[in-house]
């Protein structure tokens, strides 16, 4: 795999505050790479250094083969950036914004093509101030893609969006990747990182504390899973506590809870229920998530 972003021992200080400490990681072509962390973990500083908006105090940075600070004019022609906040004039029309940004590049994507791709064709003549939150985010992504970038930075993409708009944005990010663009995503939503990202970097106090696929990070937590269901069967007929991997078994009226570990824990319990021909309903599973990993590594204390 080709590493199109390379960070080696990057550091950044603001006065007495060490925002980033010896940060090292790679981003590979064609992946959705996520960066998460508590407030003040160094995410924004890191991404702004990679975008050439800030100068790292130490370390080596390479984005598409360019030094982000020294070669920013060359680099920005090949990257796209969607910032946390984008302040465009509210009376500026959608088509005008695309034309304005497109004029900055030698070979921009036609505005109508981007509007169709983003589902904004009907809003081409609408003032930006009249767009919904989800429509504005789609427009900002369109502006980030207008120069046909190889790499796009998406910073807190779905903050403030309702669940329906958030899911629509997730589909859009997948489409961007399918179109051949590598995605570097920062987010506060662990479900978003778990659903979208091929790999996730977790930062805390400016330091990289974990980096792997969401599945591998969750597996490393080694927490137990639960199966909960209801049944009217005779309790004496329910024999699940002897199954391999089962560590806890509870009966509370019609409610049954089975807890345990192992790759085949869930399938073995369900198979046993079928073998015993037990009538069960409302079965659900509770498994560790990336949020559990995040809280385990960074703690539960609120940060300013």
């Amino acid at each position: 795999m080709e590493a199109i972003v390379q960070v080696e021992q990057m550091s950044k200080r603001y006065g007495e505050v060490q925002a980033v400490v010896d940060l090292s990681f790679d981003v590979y072509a064609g992946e959705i790479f996520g960066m998460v962390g508590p407030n003040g973990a160094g995410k924004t500083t890191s991404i702004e250094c990679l975008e050439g908006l800030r100068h790292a105090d130490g370390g080596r940075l390479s984005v598409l083969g360019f030094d982000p600070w020294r070669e920013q004019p060359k680099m920005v022609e090949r990257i796209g950036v969607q910032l946390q906040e984008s302040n465009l004039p509210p009376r500026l029309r959608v088509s005008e914004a695309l034309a304005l940004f497109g004029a900055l590049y030698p070979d921009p994507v036609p505005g109508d093509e981007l509007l169709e791709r983003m589902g904004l064709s009907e809003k081409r003549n609408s003032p930006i101030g009249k767009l919904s939150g989800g429509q504005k985010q789609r427009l900002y992504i369109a502006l980030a893609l207008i120069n046909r970038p190889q790499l796009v930075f998406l910073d807190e993409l779905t903050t403030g969006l309702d669940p329906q708009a958030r899911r629509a944005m997730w589909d859009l990010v997948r489409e961007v990747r399918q179109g051949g663009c590598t995605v570097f995503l920062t987010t506060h939503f662990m479900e978003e990182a778990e659903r979208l990202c091929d790999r996730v970097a977790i930062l805390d106090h400016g330091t990289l504390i974990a980096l792997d696929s969401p599945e591998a990070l969750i597996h490393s937590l080694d927490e137990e899973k639960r199966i909960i269901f209801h049944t009217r069967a005779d309790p004496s007929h329910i024999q699940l506590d002897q199954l391999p991997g089962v560590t806890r078994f509870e009966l509370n009226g019609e409610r049954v809870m089975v807890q345990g570990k192992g790759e085949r824990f869930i399938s073995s319990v369900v198979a046993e229920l079928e073998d015993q021909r037990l009538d069960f309903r409302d079965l659900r599973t509770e498994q560790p998530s990336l949020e559990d990993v995040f809280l385990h590594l960074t703690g539960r204390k609120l940060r300013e």
Side-chain angles (χ1 to χ4, degrees):
M1 293 184 291
E2 178 191 2
I4 62 172
V5 175
Q6 296 175 300
V7 179
E8 298 178 7
Q9 296 184 308
M10 179 174 71
S11 61
K12 180 65 180 178
R13 175 184 292 274
Y14 301 108
E16 296 182 356
V17 178
Q18 187 72 46
V20 180
V21 185
D22 292 334
L23 184 62
S24 298
F25 64 89
D26 293 337
V27 178
Y28 301 115
E31 74 173 337
I32 299 177
F33 182 89
M35 180 176 283
V36 302
N39 291 330
K43 303 187 303 298
T44 298
T45 293
S46 299
I47 201 172
E48 287 180 349
C49 288
L50 290 173
E51 293 164 351
L53 300 176
R54 294 188 185 275
H55 185 211
D57 297 331
R60 176 181 173 272
L61 283 68
S62 175
V63 177
L64 298 172
F66 299 107
D67 181 303
W69 186 254
R70 295 183 176 86
E71 300 177 284
Q72 189 197 41
K74 296 179 182 179
M75 181 189 71
V76 295
E77 293 183 2
R78 297 169 60 182
I79 70 169
V81 177
Q82 176 266 328
L83 301 174
Q84 285 187 32
E85 297 181 6
S86 300
N87 294 318
L88 294 174
R91 293 186 180 181
L92 187 70
R93 299 185 185 277
V94 169
S95 59
E96 293 172 340
L98 288 166
L100 175 64
F101 277 66
L104 301 174
Y105 302 100
D107 183 30
V109 180
D112 288 342
E113 180 180 324
L114 279 172
L115 290 177
E116 178 69 24
R117 186 177 176 187
M118 300 295 156
L120 290 172
S121 294
E122 296 182 358
K123 298 294 181 180
R124 66 182 324 277
N125 294 317
S126 297
I128 292 174
K130 296 293 184 179
L131 300 180
S132 67
Q135 290 167 344
K136 287 180 181 178
Q137 291 291 57
R138 278 183 276 157
L139 172 60
Y140 298 151
I141 292 179
L143 296 176
L145 298 176
I146 201 164
N147 61 325
R148 308 179 193 272
Q150 294 174 252
L151 169 68
V152 63
F153 292 92
L154 304 177
D155 196 9
E156 302 295 344
L157 178 66
T158 60
T159 298
L161 299 186
D162 60 53
Q164 185 180 35
R166 182 174 298 131
R167 296 301 177 94
M169 295 305 299
W170 293 355
D171 290 339
L172 189 53
V173 171
R174 295 186 185 102
E175 290 175 13
V176 169
R177 191 262 293 275
Q178 290 170 1
C181 185
T182 303
V183 178
F184 191 122
L185 174 74
T186 61
T187 180
H188 274 113
F189 295 105
M190 295 304 109
E191 182 187 5
E192 183 167 282
E194 186 174 341
R195 294 284 190 92
L196 287 178
C197 297
D198 298 296
R199 292 187 302 138
V200 177
I202 302 178
L203 270 62
D204 197 16
H205 300 294
T207 301
L208 181 69
I209 59 175
L211 172 58
D212 213 326
S213 67
E215 295 81 8
L217 290 171
I218 293 169
H219 184 73
S220 69
L221 196 59
D222 197 32
E223 282 199 355
E224 296 186 340
K225 308 169 188 176
R226 290 184 178 182
I227 297 178
I228 300 169
F229 61 91
H230 289 77
T231 181
R232 293 191 176 94
D234 186 336
S236 64
H237 293 166
I238 304 175
Q239 300 176 8
L240 299 173
D241 51 340
Q242 301 301 316
L243 288 176
V246 172
T247 59
R248 186 178 172 190
F249 177 68
E250 289 184 0
L251 287 169
N252 185 6
E254 294 184 356
R255 182 181 183 274
V256 181
M257 189 281 291
V258 190
Q259 183 171 306
K261 293 183 178 182
E263 293 292 336
R264 297 185 54 81
F265 164 70
I266 294 175
S267 59
S268 64
V269 171
V270 174
E272 184 67 19
L273 292 174
E274 295 288 353
D275 289 344
Q276 295 183 27
R277 297 184 178 181
L278 291 175
D279 180 25
F280 61 90
R281 65 187 188 281
D282 302 330
L283 185 144
R284 61 186 174 90
T285 62
E286 296 180 352
Q287 303 186 65
S289 66
L290 189 61
E291 183 170 318
D292 295 313
V293 177
F294 180 84
L295 292 174
H296 175 74
L297 293 174
T298 64
R300 296 174 179 269
K301 186 177 180 180
L302 291 175
R303 312 272 183 94
E304 293 296 334

